[in-house]
Amino acid sequence: MPAPQCASCHQARAALRRPRSGQALCGACFCAAFEAEVLHTVVAGRLLPPGAVVAVGASGGKDSTVLAHVLRELAPRLGISLHLVAVDEGIGGYRDAALAAVRRQAARWELPLTVVAYADLFGGWTMDAVARSTAGSGRSRACCTFCGVLRRRALEEGARLVGATHVVTGHNADDMAETVLMNFLRGDAGRLARGGGLGSPGEGGALPRCRPLQLASQKEVVLYAHFRRLDYFSEECVYAPEAFRGHARDLLKMLEAARPSAVLDLVHSAERLALAPAARPPPPGACSRCGALASRALCQACALLDGLNRGRPRLAIGKGRRGLDEEGPPREPQPSRPPTSQPVPDF
Ligand code: SF4
């Protein structure tokens, strides 16, 4: 059966059906609609004011690649300037190839790029060294916990280094729904209550952070990358398979099959959650070592590094108030990228 006409321009043949609405669009109209929706998210949420110097967390994966490309398209209308900031976690055989993709993007889009490395920022610790240090602990899933906390800190440091006023990351709706689900599964009411909204306004002296793709589904991010022929890195990190996030992802896929709105429903549910007064944690203070926002004497990054430096990494990992839960940030690279030379199989 021939593809229907594009429901927007009524001229070209439709190349896809939008996963949520079912609307049949050609590639050009889909990309225009996607960009307009991100623009609406940024403007309606007042995420990036005119004049903002925006550090884009660039990993080389599909989400940050699409984010950088869309913001570059929108930058003149928003009145912002962009600077790519990439983090080298020190993961042999993985991060080097991903950073090569970021360098190609920066050159192609003529955007400034700064790379910050864990080894330089954290006293020589790389993720491979952390993995070796935690290997005997029986907590192999801990790698992503360390990495997530340290990467947040590294991105903040990189953004400050380039004089950024704001930080953006490429988390999409599926990533955020997974995070909400994980927090439910762990019974982590504090994180659930803090997890709503499109970012954080910059408490405790931190730079304001936001997620302009938070309302875009992962499928549409992949489709946008396909139709814009974006060059991104799509292999999975060697430490990703052990992360708890993978279970939340599998569960979410089952939920979505039964209820297509499950992803966005979960994202929006986090915006409406409030803790009962008795369950609210005390207001955070300042880390006694680095001054960052902390709910205990040391912030998460300093606590983890402290445990590593004392040769007792398990001390820094635990459940609830005693430490950090195993988390694992979104696994950006997905192996399901449609080849650019073939049609997208939505019809
Ligand atoms: Fe870090 Fe992501 Fe690899 Fe986990 S999967 S170790 S968070 S890069």
Side-chain angles (χ1 to χ4, degrees):
M1 192 171 71
Q5 266 195 342
C6 172
S8 180
C9 68
H10 305 290
Q11 291 174 352
R13 287 281 167 206
L16 74 146
R17 278 193 191 283
R18 296 197 75 175
R20 274 188 212 142
S21 65
Q23 192 182 30
L25 294 177
C26 66
C29 288
F30 164 71
C31 290
F34 186 92
E35 288 162 10
E37 286 163 11
V38 176
L39 178 65
H40 177 75
T41 300
V42 171
V43 172
R46 299 182 181 176
L47 302 181
L48 301 172
V53 179
V54 181
V56 183
S59 70
K62 69 178 188 319
D63 295 309
S64 64
T65 299
V66 165
L67 176 65
H69 186 273
V70 172
L71 287 184
R72 184 173 168 272
E73 296 293 310
L74 301 178
R77 291 167 71 183
L78 290 169
I80 60 174
S81 57
L82 305 177
H83 196 123
L84 302 183
V85 176
V87 176
D88 181 357
E89 299 94 342
I91 301 174
Y94 166 71
R95 190 44 90 196
D96 289 348
L99 287 175
V102 179
R103 290 195 176 93
R104 288 196 300 274
Q105 292 163 2
R108 185 170 173 194
W109 298 335
E110 297 180 329
L111 289 176
L113 166 66
T114 297
V115 181
V116 289
Y118 280 10
D120 299 331
L121 294 173
F122 304 129
W125 283 104
T126 62
M127 266 318 295
D128 285 339
V130 171
R132 282 193 295 275
S133 174
T134 56
S137 68
R139 305 290 298 272
S140 54
R141 282 181 290 166
C143 279
C144 289
T145 302
F146 282 90
C147 190
V149 171
L150 297 181
R151 190 164 52 188
R152 186 178 176 85
R153 168 64 61 87
L155 187 54
E156 177 86 11
E157 298 279 337
R160 289 186 183 282
L161 199 65
V162 304
T165 58
H166 291 71
V167 178
V168 295
T169 57
H171 299 91
N172 62 44
D174 295 61
D175 298 329
M176 298 315 298
E178 286 163 16
T179 299
V180 174
L181 206 49
M182 285 164 61
N183 289 336
F184 266 118
L185 294 173
R186 293 181 305 206
D188 193 332
R191 284 191 193 176
L192 267 174
R194 287 195 306 271
L198 292 159
S200 56
E203 297 161 299
L207 292 172
R209 250 172 211 254
C210 63
R211 303 176 287 262
L213 301 184
Q214 183 172 312
L215 302 179
S217 74
Q218 181 158 275
K219 284 178 191 151
E220 295 211 339
V221 170
V222 174
L223 286 168
Y224 183 88
H226 168 76
F227 285 111
R228 288 288 189 226
R229 297 183 174 278
L230 301 183
D231 165 26
Y232 64 86
F233 181 71
S234 57
E235 280 177 32
E236 190 173 73
C237 170
V238 291
Y239 301 119
E242 296 295 330
F244 181 51
R245 182 172 288 274
H247 300 291
R249 179 166 298 154
D250 293 342
L251 185 53
L252 189 62
K253 281 197 171 72
M254 284 194 285
L255 292 172
E256 200 182 10
R259 181 182 167 89
S261 65
V263 168
L264 270 190
D265 288 347
L266 271 166
V267 172
H268 291 311
S269 73
E271 293 161 13
R272 300 183 197 112
L273 287 169
L275 287 185
R280 283 185 200 142
C287 172
S288 60
R289 190 162 296 170
C290 73
L293 215 58
S295 51
R296 287 165 288 165
L298 293 180
C299 69
Q300 292 180 339
C302 288
L304 290 178
L305 289 167
D306 194 54
L308 287 167
N309 288 330
R310 287 192 288 132
R312 304 179 70 185
R314 270 194 296 178
L315 281 182
I317 304 164
K319 174 78 178 160
R321 291 187 183 86
R322 282 173 296 148
L324 301 171
D325 295 330
E326 292 159 356
E327 183 166 354
R331 284 182 279 169
E332 270 218 348
Q334 295 296 313
S336 55
R337 174 192 188 186
T340 50
S341 58
Q342 293 178 14
V344 178
D346 266 61
F347 283 109

